[in-house]
Amino acid sequence: METPSEKGEILKQGVNPLSLNPLCSRRQVLKIGGISIIGLSALGPALVQGAAKPLIIMEQAMGIVIADPHKCVGCGRCELACTEFNDGKAAPTISRIKISRNLNFGPGGELILREGQGNWGNGLIVQDLCKQCPHPVPCANICPENAIVAAPVGNTRIIDLEKCTGCKVCLRACPWEMISFDPDSRKVTKCDLCKGKPKCVEACPAESLSYVPWIDLTDKIPPRSTTTARMLEDRAMACQECHMPGQQKNVKQGFGMLLGAAQGGRPLSAGKFGFKWIDLAGSIILPLGLAFVAVHAVLRKVTKK
Amino acid sequence: MKRIYLHTLPLRIWHWVNALMVIILIITGSQLRISGIASLRPHDPALVVHKYAGWAMVVFYIFWFAYSLISKDLSRNYVIGRHDLKGIFKQAIFYLFLIFRGEQNPFRPSPDNKFNPLQKIAYGAIMFIFAPVLIITGLLYTDIAFLRKYMLLWNITGIVDAIHIIAAYVFSLFLVIHVYMATLGPTPLFHINAMIKGYEEEPDEDEGKPDCEVHSANPGSETGNQRA
C-alpha cells in the first residue's frame, strides 16, 4: 500500500509536466481544472456516439456447408431435415437450404467473366446455401435491430430471435435470397449450421452436401437478386471510419450550401459536410495541371502565327 | 532524314496496354471514390473491374521492371547523371519559353539516351515511387487474409486509402501532362507515331527545321536524300 507521502510524490510527478513549480499555485489549479472540464465536456458526446455505434465488423465464420451439384438428385430431404430440426415442422419454404431448378438468369442476365455453379438458367438442379459472408455481411449490416450476430462458437451468422421483429429487411438484403420469413413465428430464418452439426449434410443420400472449413464463395457465385434494402444512415457513417466516404454527397451538400447562401436565404447547415482534404488537394492540383496545359497550348497556337 | 529505332516492340506493347489499364483504373477508381466504397456491394462492376485491372497492373509492372532490367533500359535511361542535372534548366526553359518562338528541342533522343532530364525525373518518380505505392496500397486493400487482422488492429485502413488516393491524383496529373507533352513534337502525332512504330524520324542536322516543314519548303533536299 502507498503511504500518504508516497501518494503526494506521485501526484507531484503527475502534475509536474504541466507546471514548472513542483507545487501548484491556486491559479494553475484553476487553469488545469478549467481545461479538464472543457476537455471532458467535449469528450462526452464523442463517448456517447461511440457507445451508440453499431457493431458491424464480424469475425469470419469457421464453417460452411457446400454442395456438389453433380451429385445432387434434387430429392429435397435436406430441406425437410432442416425445418424438422429447426422449426419442428415440414416447411420447405422456410428451409435454410434451398433446392430448385435453375431457371433464373439473375438480375443482370448472363454476364461474361462470371462463373457460378452452372446456375445461370441452364435448368439444372441448384443448391442455394448461406455463404456466411465475410465482413460486409449484407443481412447483418441492414438489420435495424442488430439481430443478426456472430455465434459465440464458430462465428456463424445467426439470428437473435429475441431482437428480431420480423421486419423482413434482411430478405431484401441477401444477394442470394437465403433468408426466409416464417409466418407462424413472425420471425425470419437463416442458416445457423445447426450448432456445428448440419442436419442437411446428415440427411443427404447422395453425399452432395458437405460441411467444410469456411471458404469465401461470395465472389464466386453470382448474386441471384439485386438487393433493394438500404443501409441505415448512422451505420453508413460508421462504415466511413474505415472506408473513405464517397464524395458525391459532400459535393452535393457543398453546392447546396453555396446555393442557399447565394439565394440570400439561410445557408444549409454544414452538418456532416466534409470534403476530405485529399480530394481538396486533388481538386486543386488536377485543374491546375489542366489549366497549365491549356494555357501552354493556347500560347503555342498564338505564337505560331 | 534518318530513322532512329527508339522503342523496342515489347516496350511499345507494354506502353499501350498499360495506358489502357491506367485509363480503366482511373475511370473505375473515380467511380468508386465518388459513390463511396461503403455504399457498394462486392459484385459492383466498378469494384470488380478495378480489382482485375489492378492485378493486371501488377503483372505489367513486374514485366516492365524485369524487361527494363534485362535489356539495360533502366541503367541507360533512368539513371540521372551529372550531365542531366545541368540540362534540367535548359530543358525547362525550352518548354516554358523557347518553344513559343518555334525553336528546336535542345535534347535529341538516341537509343542509349531516350529521355531528356525532365522526362527522366517524371518517369522515374512515376515508375519508382507512385506506381509501386499505388500497387502496394492497392494490394493491401484486396483483403489478404493474414493482413486483414493487422489492418483492422492498427487501424491503418484510412491511411492506406489516403496514400492510394494521393498517388492516384498524382498519376492522373501525370497522365494529363504526359498526353499533352506527347503532342509537342514537330507535328502533333510525331512522338505518338514513334511510340506506335518504334522509329523516330529525325530531320537532318543542317536543315535545322522541323520535319513537317521540310516537305513543303525544301523539296530539293528531300530528293537529295533519296539519291543518297
Side-chain angles (χ1 to χ4, degrees), chain A residues 60 114 135 218 221 223 227 239 242 244 246-248 278-279 282 285-286 289-290 292-293 296-297 299-300 303, chain B residues 33-38 41 43 95-96 99-100 141 148 157-158 161-162 165-166 169 172-173 176 180 183-184:
Chain A
Q60 265 158 18
R114 278 193 173 177
H135 160 52
T218 54
I221 300 177
T227 59
C239 287
C242 296
M244 293 305 248
Q247 294 302 335
Q248 201 173 27
I278 306 163
D279 292 280
I285 62 163
L286 265 185
L290 282 170
F292 182 79
V293 161
H296 198 273
L299 270 177
R300 260 180 79 224
T303 52
Chain B
R33 185 68 183 167
I34 287 165
S35 60
I37 290 172
R41 287 182 302 280
H43 285 286
Y95 279 131
L96 286 175
I99 193 167
F100 302 123
Y141 260 96
R148 171 198 173 88
T157 43
D161 189 90
I165 299 274
I166 290 170
Y169 274 123
S172 347
L173 185 71
V176 168
Y180 175 65
T183 65
L184 288 186

Side-chain angles (χ1 to χ4, degrees), chain B residues 4-42:
Chain B
I4 315 166
Y5 190 54
L6 266 192
H7 310 293
T8 53
L9 182 67
L11 272 184
R12 273 179 281 152
I13 293 173
W14 168 81
H15 176 266
W16 290 112
V17 179
N18 203 42
L20 182 72
M21 279 302 140
V22 165
I23 288 164
I24 289 173
L25 281 169
I26 286 176
I27 290 169
T28 53
S30 47
Q31 262 178 296
L32 298 183
R33 185 68 183 167
I34 287 165
S35 60
I37 290 172
S39 66
L40 293 178
R41 287 182 302 280

Side-chain angles (χ1 to χ4, degrees), chain A residues 203-226:
Chain A
C204 184
E207 294 181 349
S208 167
L209 299 173
S210 39
Y211 180 49
V212 294
W214 184 80
I215 42 171
D216 192 359
L217 293 174
T218 54
D219 56 351
K220 296 185 180 63
I221 300 177
R224 292 209 162 261
S225 67
T226 44

Side-chain angles (χ1 to χ4, degrees), chain B residues 47-65:
Chain B
L47 204 62
V48 174
V49 170
H50 195 78
K51 208 157 117 183
Y52 280 112
W55 279 111
M57 278 298 279
V58 175
V59 174
F60 295 156
Y61 186 82
I62 291 168
F63 166 78
W64 171 83
F65 194 81

Side-chain angles (χ1 to χ4, degrees), chain A residues 44-118:
Chain A
L47 283 176
V48 168
Q49 257 188 354
K53 203 174 295 154
L55 182 73
I56 42 175
I57 296 175
M58 286 188 187
E59 285 296 311
Q60 265 158 18
M62 309 291 272
I64 187 175
V65 177
I66 57 166
D68 185 350
H70 298 101
K71 291 180 182 167
C72 179
V73 292
C75 62
R77 283 182 212 187
C78 44
E79 295 182 334
L80 190 63
C82 175
T83 49
E84 199 173 9
F85 176 76
N86 288 299
D87 309 300
K89 60 187 175 186
T93 46
I94 59 163
S95 171
R96 288 109 184 116
I97 173 172
K98 296 189 192 300
I99 308 296
S100 59
R101 283 272 170 196
N102 183 31
L103 303 169
N104 174 21
F105 281 91
E110 269 185 306
L111 285 180
I112 48 166
L113 292 174
R114 278 193 173 177
E115 302 167 4
Q117 298 179 333

Side-chain angles (χ1 to χ4, degrees), chain A residues 148-168:
Chain A
I148 298 176
V149 292
V153 180
N155 296 326
T156 317
R157 286 80 175 92
I158 57 169
I159 285 163
D160 190 340
L161 287 175
E162 286 181 7
K163 287 187 195 164
C164 179
T165 54
C167 68
K168 302 189 202 170

